[in-house]
């Protein structure tokens, strides 16, 4: 059974060598090719942080006005949570400026 599994692993890796051809990239080439999708995903997440954070801050403003009209309907803790979450989400993309290993946001390059 062990030989069969080993043989299946070897046979499954053979097409990868055929696809790679003569342009062996090595580990550095693979890492370089992965940087573009990582940068795209980083921009997507950071833009989402800005949009959701701004939405939270806007919702906190609306909830605060509702709290002033009816304190029992909307507790102040909801407003405080929305403000804290909104500020954290808006400031999260700027964390890459502080951390050395972070992928910077493309608008801040």
């Amino acid at each position: 059974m062990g030989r069969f599994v080993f043989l299946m692993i070897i046979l499954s890796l053979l097409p990868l060598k055929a696809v790679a051809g003569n342009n062996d990239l090595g580990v550095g080439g693979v890492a370089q090719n992965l940087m573009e999708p990582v940068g795209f995903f980083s921009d997507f997440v950071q833009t989402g942080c800005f949009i959701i954070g701004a939405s939270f801050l806007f919702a906190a403003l609306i909830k605060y006005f509702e709290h002033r009209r009816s304190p029992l309907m909307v507790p102040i803790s909801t407003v405080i949570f929305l403000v804290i979450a909104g500020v954290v989400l808006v400031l999260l993309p700027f964390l890459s400026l502080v951390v050395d290993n972070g992928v910077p946001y493309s608008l801040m390059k």
Side-chain angles (χ1 to χ4, degrees):
M1 186 69 174
R3 286 186 178 180
F4 178 73
V5 171
F6 180 73
L7 182 63
M8 291 307 290
I9 291 173
I10 295 299
L11 289 177
S12 67
L13 293 178
L14 285 178
L16 293 177
K17 182 63 178 169
V19 170
N22 290 333
N23 53 358
D24 293 332
L25 297 175
V27 177
V30 172
Q32 188 64 28
N33 286 341
L34 287 177
M35 284 308 292
E36 183 178 345
V38 168
F40 177 73
F41 184 70
S42 171
D43 289 345
F44 178 74
V45 168
Q46 291 173 344
T47 302
C49 283
F50 281 132
I51 292 171
I52 295 171
S55 300
F56 276 20
L57 291 173
F58 182 71
L61 183 67
I62 299 296
K63 291 292 182 183
Y64 177 70
F65 289 140
E66 289 179 7
H67 171 75
R68 286 187 59 195
R69 273 188 280 161
S70 174
L72 295 176
M73 187 75 163
V74 179
I76 193 70
S77 62
T78 303
V79 177
I80 292 171
F81 171 76
L82 286 172
V83 167
I84 292 172
V87 168
V88 167
L89 283 171
V90 167
L91 293 179
L92 190 63
F94 296 106
L95 187 63
S96 66
L97 298 175
V98 178
V99 179
D100 293 333
N101 298 335
V103 177
Y105 188 54
S106 63
L107 295 177
M108 294 184 278
K109 287 182 184 177

